[in-house]
Amino acid sequence: MKFVRTVMAMVFLGLSSFTAISFAPASFAGAQTQSSCSKVEFLLMMDQSLSLQSTDSNNLRVQGAEELIRSLSDTAKASGEKINLAIGGFGNDAKIDMAEEFQLPENRTEAKTAVQRFANLNTDLNTDYILALRKSSEYFASKLGVPGKCKKLVWFTDGAYSIDNFSAPGLGTYSDSRDKRTLQSQLQAQVCGPLPMGSQLREPLSELIRQGGFSVQMIDLRAAGESPQDKAERAETEPVINRMFYSDIGDPCRINGTRVQADTADGLAKDFFREGQKALGHFELKCDLLNAGYPASMVNSLAVQNSNPSTKTRILLDGKAVGDEEEGFAGYYPKNGPTSAGKIEVDAGVGSLSLCFADLRATAVLQGNQSVFGKAKSSYLNIAVFGSGDDSPGGGVSDKFAVIDAKVGESPVSVEWNDASKSWRVKIDGPVSTPPELTVNSRAVDWAGPPFTRVTSGISVATEPPPPQVAWTGPVTIEGKKQVSGNLQVTPASLDTGGTLCVQLQQAKVEPTSLIVGVPLEEKCAKDDKPFTIPATLETTASENKTGKVELPFTATYTPEDSTPISLGSSENVIFSPIAMTKPLNAESVVIVTALFLLASVIFTMGGLLGVTNYQLRLPDPKKFRSVTLPVSVVDGALVRTNPESLRMEDYELVKGTRSSFDMGNGALVKRRFTANPFGAITARIRSKGSKVAARPAISKGFEKAANIPARFQELGAVNLDASGEAGVLSVVVPTGTKLENVNRFVDRFLGDLSLQLPRETSGPTLTSPDSDSSDGQTNAGNGSVGGVNDNAEKERSSSVSVRPAPPRPPVSPQSAIRPVSAPPRGPTKNPGDGAPQR
Amino acid sequence: MTIPQSAPPRGSGAPRQTGVSGGFSVTGRGNRGYQPDVSTPTIPIILIAGCALISMALTGRAFMDHAGSTDSVSMLAFGSWIVGSFLGLIAFTFFRSKDLSCQAEPRYVEPSWRPRLVAVLVACMGWFSGLVGAFFVAQALARR
């Protein structure tokens, strides 16, 4: 049932996500999505038919509707929108209490209270879809001045159009028929038209819905519990519903909306979320990308669904929560469009992201020179992809998040990512005499959306090569006061022209001033057939956590073969990625913080384990046990019942004790242990003052002053021998309701087993070798030995003590080697009156 | 004729009966014919292994992202600690609890693949992986 509740919550939550996104203002809702609504009119229409008693007996629809209200409210709060929520019901009739309109987020509590009354509204014989849709149309028609895109109907139903109460007041308002078959057969005509004979509707319902301008989100619960009649009615209704939602655009029955069937459990909520987002023009984004820190400059809106609907989900911008966060859902709608910088991550708590939908924005930009050198065998142009942020060199979106492809004319050209400049290098083959036309398509990685705006650029043919690209290749993180070495890589924009390229670096402008750039100020030249490097250094003079920005201008000259140098354009800047300046690592702090983490993980968990272990050390509940005691004697080295008669029901007694201490009734006491060892054994202690005890089951076998036994025993036997070692009292503790015959058998086996463990001075060599032919035809198993190990122990014992003849024993059954020891005939009882064994 | 009860030698590949002595019972086992042995619980071991794997994946990812090289705390590294050193040990606690309950049964048998040892080893791996994540976090904090 909990599962179904979760499913319902997810369905409604998914619905709320769908509707919530559509309320996003135009400025950030994306080009493909709807424009903003100053106010959204929202109607929740709930089924109240009798069939809900079987399909939703636990009123999970109410919980789901509460989830819907909660998420709508939170979304309204986050986006600053106003939502006017009305709640209606349908069954025999359709009603919307106009007095019960709730402004969200202000009246969230009242709305939830209002929807709770539907828990008891499930007695109507009819499920009248026609009344529900007509009432909804009338409701939305009354909302004058509200654009259709701002009117939303959520229509919950569990079945099909079904009429069984022909005296229902609403029926006569749309049909003069009172025949079930006729009414069912007219459903399609009533909804899609043309109207059937006897119809009282002024127009077909689909037309009324279109006039109302609202969209319909139908939640169709198909839980188990449908009767054959329900199924038949559903089969008749299905084509009409399908035509409403899924027919061709030109079909007069087609309305704006979607339908979700809640019969595929949690997967359905996921599907619904997906389809809803698609309908809004949003596209699926692979959720893994959000773990890598998505560039916020690309994100126009983002909605994520958690696989665990009860887990708080947060969208973080540079580690700070943004947008509306919910259990199982989070949305991010930056009010002024994508931010210029920052990274977006999602905190899914203990859950994981199941679906992510986003509206992304980015543009491919041609950076640097816009021309190619006609003589060059190959020339390079730089393309970077930017979100809404600054499109300065080095600030492009990483190839983790965007890709491009390029064509010159109709021919694809080679594209190569250059991490230093955060751009793609597009290779234009030469030599060329006419200006090539470069077309660049860019798109987001693992995003189902369309490519970003295509960039088509006429590339001019220059008589001189464009300036080269110079980029820092070296460490981008500097720890403490330190100097690091790297290179400035000079990449000619035109390769292999036979000329020489020279670069003249100038004074750098650096922020903060504690960052110093060391570069040679003399001109550096090389052939333009391949990239070349200029050594450079970065030095920090202060130990601080800052991001350094470097602006290093340079000028370039090109010297063709057998000609004079040509200056290539004006001053350009070296491409520097932001330099992360960090304080040096404080080893002591690292050790202390790591130790704290270590302690936290160990203390909490070991503390928990210790608690669990001590909790498990509790003894079983004595109220669930009964005890039996009977005297035992040592006869010829074997423990036997003093009174050989079988136990009787009257022998049972209540067990005295608590879960910390059991009184066995024979002088032995079982006590609970406490341990400081989280991995300690779950044992209890049985002991007797001034005498020795042995117990089964037990960790130790023989007679001791005290013995360890499993604390979670299901039955327990203990013999407490007196000081002489010749007599004692046996006590057996068994669960209430244990059959007497089983207890008798247990006692006999127990005595047989313990006979081998008797103290030496009282035990005799009562066993013969298991492999030898016994003179009396018995085996050693007759005394209750449970294994060869015990037999060997007995052999050893017999070799060290005087041998006494063993008493005759009964034959051993093939099923069990453990048999009761033959006991002496029962003597005169000490309690002849009641026949109960002596305690 | 006796029933041999000596345990098989370690490493023999055979399951080892490790229940307490006195393997006879009045509550059914041993009195109503064959009863299945009680074995070490495996679901908690799967949970432990899951935590360890997730933690190791997160730690690896954090390492690739140069976690700890700046003062920015890596959420991946923190998540690794939470999953490996915290949730993993909670899963181990759960395992111990269930296993100890099973061990109280007279017919407790540890399978030949030594799940108790495996659980300890896997929990240690996850815990250590989480600790590496904690180390990355500590590095970032120590730069502040």
Side-chain angles (χ1 to χ4, degrees), chain A residues 144-278:
Chain A
L144 299 173
V146 179
K149 65 193 172 193
C150 306
K151 297 175 183 175
K152 308 277 178 187
L153 167 66
V154 170
W155 176 25
F156 171 80
T157 176
D158 78 325
Y161 175 68
S162 171
I163 304 297
D164 292 302
N165 178 4
F166 299 100
S167 60
L171 189 58
T173 63
Y174 69 85
S175 176
D176 59 4
S177 172
R178 293 297 177 270
D179 175 60
K180 186 178 177 72
R181 290 297 321 149
T182 305
L183 288 166
Q184 294 277 10
S185 64
Q186 287 180 345
L187 176 65
Q188 176 133 216
Q190 296 275 27
V191 174
C192 303
L195 290 172
M197 289 288 290
S199 172
Q200 306 296 313
L201 295 176
R202 62 180 170 83
E203 286 184 89
L205 274 174
S206 56
E207 183 57 34
L208 291 175
I209 292 170
R210 279 194 297 276
Q211 287 173 8
F214 61 98
S215 62
V216 182
Q217 315 302 332
M218 179 183 186
I219 300 175
D220 191 357
L221 175 64
R222 287 190 166 195
E226 282 187 340
S227 66
Q229 186 193 339
D230 293 338
K231 287 178 181 168
E233 287 169 347
R234 183 184 284 281
E236 283 188 289
T237 310
E238 192 84 359
V240 183
I241 299 296
N242 284 342
R243 196 175 162 197
M244 283 172 69
F245 290 107
Y246 306 124
S247 60
D248 294 335
I249 298 293
D251 191 316
C253 198
R254 172 74 183 245
I255 62 168
N256 182 19
T258 56
R259 172 200 190 191
V260 175
Q261 292 176 9
D263 56 352
T264 53
D266 52 337
L268 183 63
K270 197 171 170 180
D271 290 343
F272 178 65
F273 181 84
R274 178 187 288 117
E275 295 307 313
Q277 293 290 328
K278 281 181 182 173

Side-chain angles (χ1 to χ4, degrees), chain A residues 85 238 248 319 376 411 437 547 631 649 667 732 833:
Chain A
L85 172 69
E238 192 84 359
D248 294 335
S411 307
E437 188 175 79
T547 301
M649 288 303 293
V732 177

Side-chain angles (χ1 to χ4, degrees), chain A residues 268-552:
Chain A
L268 183 63
K270 197 171 170 180
D271 290 343
F272 178 65
F273 181 84
R274 178 187 288 117
E275 295 307 313
Q277 293 290 328
K278 281 181 182 173
L280 288 165
H282 292 181
F283 297 95
E284 190 166 356
L285 176 69
K286 195 175 178 184
C287 293
D288 287 352
L289 289 168
L290 295 171
N291 297 329
Y294 208 85
S297 62
M298 290 174 69
V299 180
N300 205 26
S301 71
L302 175 67
V304 297
Q305 189 185 37
N306 200 314
S307 60
N308 185 344
S310 59
T311 298
K312 194 98 169 171
T313 310
R314 299 186 308 156
I315 293 177
L316 309 172
L317 174 59
D318 286 338
K320 290 181 184 172
V322 289
D324 55 323
E325 55 190 75
E326 271 294 324
E327 287 178 351
F329 167 82
Y332 168 60
Y333 321 102
K335 291 192 173 169
N336 299 314
T339 59
S340 58
K343 287 182 178 178
I344 286 181
E345 292 171 294
V346 179
D347 174 10
V350 295
S352 61
L353 294 181
S354 57
L355 274 179
C356 302
F357 274 81
D359 179 25
L360 301 178
R361 302 291 172 82
T363 313
V365 175
L366 189 59
Q367 287 196 308
N369 64 289
Q370 316 267 319
S371 60
V372 294
F373 184 30
K375 289 181 184 174
K377 286 183 182 171
S378 52
S379 300
Y380 289 91
L381 297 172
N382 293 303
I383 306 283
V385 174
F386 292 93
S388 71
D390 180 13
D391 60 355
S392 58
V397 171
S398 158
D399 64 337
K400 259 195 243 179
F401 306 108
V403 288
I404 68 164
D405 60 73
K407 286 179 180 178
V408 170
E410 290 302 314
S411 307
V413 293
S414 158
V415 170
E416 182 187 324
W417 172 251
N418 183 351
D419 200 55
S421 62
K422 293 283 183 279
S423 64
W424 284 267
R425 295 180 72 220
V426 180
K427 184 181 177 188
I428 310 287
D429 292 329
V432 293
S433 54
T434 54
E437 188 175 79
L438 178 68
T439 304
V440 178
N441 284 312
S442 57
R443 56 190 168 81
V445 172
D446 289 328
W447 184 54
F452 300 127
T453 311
R454 173 184 291 193
V455 177
T456 302
S457 180
I459 307 298
S460 59
V461 178
T463 54
E464 61 193 47
Q469 185 187 73
V470 184
W472 164 258
T473 55
V476 291
T477 302
I478 304 175
E479 187 177 330
K481 295 181 187 175
K482 195 190 269 184
Q483 187 183 70
V484 295
S485 298
N487 287 304
L488 300 176
Q489 180 168 301
V490 182
T491 308
S494 301
L495 281 178
D496 229 358
T497 63
T500 303
L501 194 63
C502 296
V503 170
Q504 171 80 58
L505 295 163
Q506 296 167 6
Q507 283 294 340
K509 290 179 189 170
V510 183
E511 190 184 335
T513 52
S514 56
L515 181 65
I516 297 169
V517 180
V519 290
L521 295 178
E522 65 272 20
E523 192 175 61
K524 295 286 181 185
C525 298
K527 283 287 201 183
D528 69 352
D529 55 344
K530 61 182 178 184
F532 63 95
T533 57
I534 302 171
T537 58
L538 283 178
E539 184 181 359
T540 50
T541 58
S543 180
E544 54 193 348
N545 292 319
K546 281 192 174 170
T547 301
K549 290 181 181 172
V550 179
E551 196 178 311
L552 177 59

